[in-house]
Amino acid sequence: MSGRLLPRRRPAPGTRPFARRAGRLRTAALGTALAVVLVPVLAACGGDASSANGSSTLKWASTYFPTHWDPVVGGSGAQFRELALVYASLTRIDENGEAVPDLAESWKYNDKGDEITFHLREGLTFSDGKPVNAEAVKAAVVRAQEQEDSALHGDLTSIESVEAKGLDAVVHLTQTDYQIPQLLGERVLQIASPKAAENPRKLDQNPVGAGPFIVTQIVPGTKAVLKKNPDYWDADNIHIDNVELTSAPDTSTIVSGLQTGVYNFADLDPSQADSAKKAGLDVFTLPGFNASNISVNVNKAPFDNEKVVDAVRYAINRQEFVDKLTFGYGEVTDQPFPKDYVAYDPESEDQYPYAPVKSKKLLAEAGYQDGAIELDLVIPSEDPQAEIVQSQLAKVGISVNIRIDKNWSTPFFAKDLAFSLYSTTGRDSAVQTLTAHFGPDGPLNLSSPYEPDGFEDAVAKVRQTPLDDPDYAKTLQAATRAGLESDALIFTYSSPNLFAKSKSISDLPKNPAHINWTGVTISGNG
């Protein structure tokens, strides 16, 4: 469950988590520029969202335009929301954050909880006409586990093998794990046509799924045009005929583009929220699991000294991140979960409040005089988060040099950096989120293979607890509490999933972390 960096809302490259307790993470190979897919093009952008023949067009300006259309490569980052236009999964997440049927109409565990059978819907096909069956599920899992540039290796460690029996995909697990329906809920295993996936490079240019829409044109990094998939299993509840997905230009142009009808839906930077409201647009948030953190490497000085780590914790004023970066739309956080989520641990709340005087005292106790510590904060691109960290640590006598490395992903996921920033969009499985941050193989754990004492046992207990067990919440929160004993991450703030749309688009379902177009209508002008 690799998360993704949010350097001012741009997607990070996919990454490959490393094998169990391995000391280093194998980094994903970055894809080369994709060739333009030349296929019939729909009508040009602009004008009304509803055409003369009654068809409706979603014109979406996205800050997460896919860098990869192969879901195995691109599925780990926030672009999974855009990939979900094309691909469906075994399950999806409802407004309560619970797994509900998608390609699989039902599932059942065995008595031990180490095997789960997903029963697929009858008569489904991919957009290339190939059948959606258990063989397709098996092929998707194998590819996610074995493809060289897969970003999903570490997400599927509980899956030992998949046995295909017609429409029944029997998933054999390495351990008792009742998280699997959540884990496979819409982003970790978006399923591509096995035939198309025989050539992953071609699939990356011409996606073939069984989702609500079919791609008809891609201009890499710029634009994608899609049409409604009449064979999608829930097509009767998809009321959008065409989609024009555009890579968002500078955030300052989004509002004017919405006003003029170039777009009718857009990811919105918080800095543009007020102007969007004044323009008469619908500005709204969708629930999510976004969390930003400061990542430190306890295997490298000076963070091999616990007092230095605690000093940095007490030096951080989380409210400043919220005020300056989210314009009040975000929230301070010291955990990877929002406060109203089942995995949030109230006992761990505000464990390290802003206390610069205490921070200085800890540095002195660690043997560091004022100004004795100088750190390189390595990030992939300009990011105002880094400037806030630099300013706050300067107040306690720690000097920070901001260093931009466009190849940042290589040293970060190889655990070679000592000090960096990371932001994630979370995962549908709470356990997956926890292990990614705090586990010994966690891609977000810069200190791998370090993990806090008791974390592994706490997570194993969660896996062994059915989600409907009355003790599930208590058990899950205990695992969160164990993870937060880690010295490797200092959480700062949660950014909002903020959007703006024209009033012609009806309200969207509030599925946590996802954008769901089921039931959404577009009427009148865009």
Side-chain angles (χ1 to χ4, degrees), residues 501-520:
K501 64 179 180 65
S502 91
K503 294 185 182 299
S504 65
I505 299 180
S506 64
D507 292 341
L508 276 66
K510 293 185 178 296
N511 299 45
H514 297 279
I515 299 178
N516 182 4
W517 299 106
T518 304
V520 177

Side-chain angles (χ1 to χ4, degrees), residues 294-295 375-379 383 385-390 393 399-405 408 417 419-421:
I294 300 167
S295 293
L375 302 171
D376 285 339
L377 180 60
V378 183
I379 56 177
D383 188 342
Q385 289 185 71
E387 296 174 8
I388 294 175
V389 172
Q390 181 185 53
L393 293 187
S399 177
V400 173
N401 304 310
I402 299 173
R403 183 162 64 85
I404 295 175
D405 181 358
W408 162 93
L417 299 181
F419 193 41
S420 190
L421 299 176

Side-chain angles (χ1 to χ4, degrees), residues 433-508:
T433 297
L434 289 172
T435 55
H437 285 91
F438 309 121
D441 303 335
L444 311 186
N445 179 6
L446 188 57
S447 296
S448 294
Y450 156 81
E451 68 175 338
D453 292 340
F455 176 70
E456 190 169 0
D457 289 341
V459 166
K461 188 173 181 180
V462 178
R463 293 187 192 276
Q464 295 162 10
T465 306
L467 275 63
D468 59 357
D469 188 293
D471 290 329
Y472 176 72
K474 181 180 178 180
T475 303
L476 179 56
Q477 290 162 17
T480 299
R481 187 157 58 252
L484 291 171
E485 292 297 318
S486 172
D487 289 334
L489 296 109
I490 301 165
F491 290 92
T492 52
Y493 78 105
S494 174
S495 57
N497 290 324
L498 188 64
F499 303 93
K501 64 179 180 65
S502 91
K503 294 185 182 299
S504 65
I505 299 180
S506 64
D507 292 341
L508 276 66

Side-chain angles (χ1 to χ4, degrees), residues 209-257:
F213 298 96
I214 301 170
V215 170
T216 61
Q217 181 199 33
I218 293 177
V219 181
T222 303
K223 176 185 175 182
V225 182
L226 306 92
K227 65 180 181 180
K228 179 178 175 178
N229 179 5
D231 296 322
Y232 175 56
W233 74 267
D234 199 22
D236 287 348
N237 289 313
I238 299 297
H239 308 303
I240 298 169
D241 299 296
N242 306 308
V243 178
E244 296 169 357
L245 181 68
T246 304
S247 179
D250 185 87
T251 55
S252 62
T253 68
I254 291 293
V255 174
S256 61

Side-chain angles (χ1 to χ4, degrees), residues 5-342:
L5 179 77
L6 299 179
R8 299 308 292 154
R9 301 171 63 81
R10 287 292 177 186
T15 58
R16 292 167 44 204
F18 52 101
R20 181 70 177 163
R21 293 194 177 277
R24 299 169 68 87
L25 180 74
R26 299 170 294 169
T27 56
L30 300 181
T32 56
L34 302 178
V36 176
V37 179
L38 297 177
V39 290
V41 184
L42 298 178
C45 294
D48 293 350
S50 298
S51 67
N53 63 7
S55 65
S56 60
T57 300
L58 171 68
K59 296 179 289 185
W60 180 0
S62 172
T63 54
Y64 298 124
F65 190 90
T67 52
H68 294 281
W69 288 87
D70 179 352
V72 160
V73 181
S76 68
Q79 58 196 351
F80 71 89
R81 300 182 180 114
E82 285 76 3
L83 296 183
L85 293 168
V86 181
Y87 299 105
S89 305
L90 288 175
T91 67
R92 55 179 172 174
I93 301 302
D94 67 8
E95 295 186 37
N96 296 318
E98 298 177 355
V100 295
D102 195 9
L103 294 179
E105 64 180 4
S106 64
W107 52 88
K108 184 178 181 179
Y109 274 97
N110 66 354
D111 292 339
K112 290 180 61 179
D114 62 357
E115 178 184 291
I116 180 172
T117 299
F118 290 93
H119 182 70
L120 302 175
R121 300 176 189 274
E122 292 186 10
L124 299 185
T125 60
F126 294 98
S127 58
D128 62 359
K130 301 302 178 182
V132 176
N133 53 25
E135 288 289 351
V137 175
K138 178 178 180 178
V141 171
V142 170
R143 204 164 65 87
Q145 291 178 325
E146 298 182 0
Q147 186 168 303
E148 183 68 16
D149 57 353
S150 171
L152 304 175
H153 290 288
D155 295 332
L156 302 176
T157 55
S158 280
I159 297 180
E160 183 174 39
S161 63
V162 178
E163 185 180 358
K165 297 182 177 180
L167 293 178
D168 286 340
V170 184
V171 182
H172 302 282
L173 305 177
T174 60
Q175 57 192 315
T176 298
D177 191 346
Y178 288 103
Q179 294 280 312
I180 299 301
Q182 298 283 119
L183 175 70
L184 303 182
E186 209 168 353
R187 66 176 294 175
V188 169
L189 197 66
Q190 293 175 324
I191 299 175
S193 163
K195 179 65 176 177
E198 288 177 358
N199 186 336
R201 187 178 297 274
K202 185 176 180 181
L203 179 70
D204 217 7
Q205 301 173 10
N206 186 17
V208 181
F213 298 96
I214 301 170
V215 170
T216 61
Q217 181 199 33
I218 293 177
V219 181
T222 303
K223 176 185 175 182
V225 182
L226 306 92
K227 65 180 181 180
K228 179 178 175 178
N229 179 5
D231 296 322
Y232 175 56
W233 74 267
D234 199 22
D236 287 348
N237 289 313
I238 299 297
H239 308 303
I240 298 169
D241 299 296
N242 306 308
V243 178
E244 296 169 357
L245 181 68
T246 304
S247 179
D250 185 87
T251 55
S252 62
T253 68
I254 291 293
V255 174
S256 61
L258 288 164
Q259 284 180 293
T260 58
V262 175
Y263 321 118
N264 53 20
F265 182 85
D267 309 337
L268 194 65
D269 190 274
S271 64
Q272 301 299 309
D274 284 347
S275 60
K277 288 179 179 179
K278 291 176 182 177
L281 299 166
D282 283 341
V283 176
F284 64 100
T285 60
L286 292 177
F289 306 120
N290 304 333
S292 296
N293 67 65
I294 300 167
S295 293
V296 304
N297 193 332
V298 301
N299 303 309
K300 296 180 180 292
F303 300 114
D304 53 353
N305 187 318
E306 291 183 4
K307 289 188 176 182
V308 173
V309 174
D310 284 347
V312 173
R313 284 169 163 158
Y314 285 116
I316 299 302
N317 179 1
R318 294 173 174 82
Q319 190 61 47
E320 185 177 357
F321 290 87
V322 173
D323 294 341
K324 292 185 176 180
L325 303 182
T326 77
F327 293 79
Y329 284 93
E331 296 181 346
V332 300
T333 187
D334 48 16
Q335 302 185 30
F337 305 112
K339 287 186 178 181
D340 58 351
Y341 186 55
V342 64

Side-chain angles (χ1 to χ4, degrees), residues 305 307-308 361-369 372:
N305 187 318
K307 289 188 176 182
V308 173
K361 184 174 182 290
L362 286 166
L363 289 172
E365 292 175 359
Y368 290 99
Q369 300 298 318

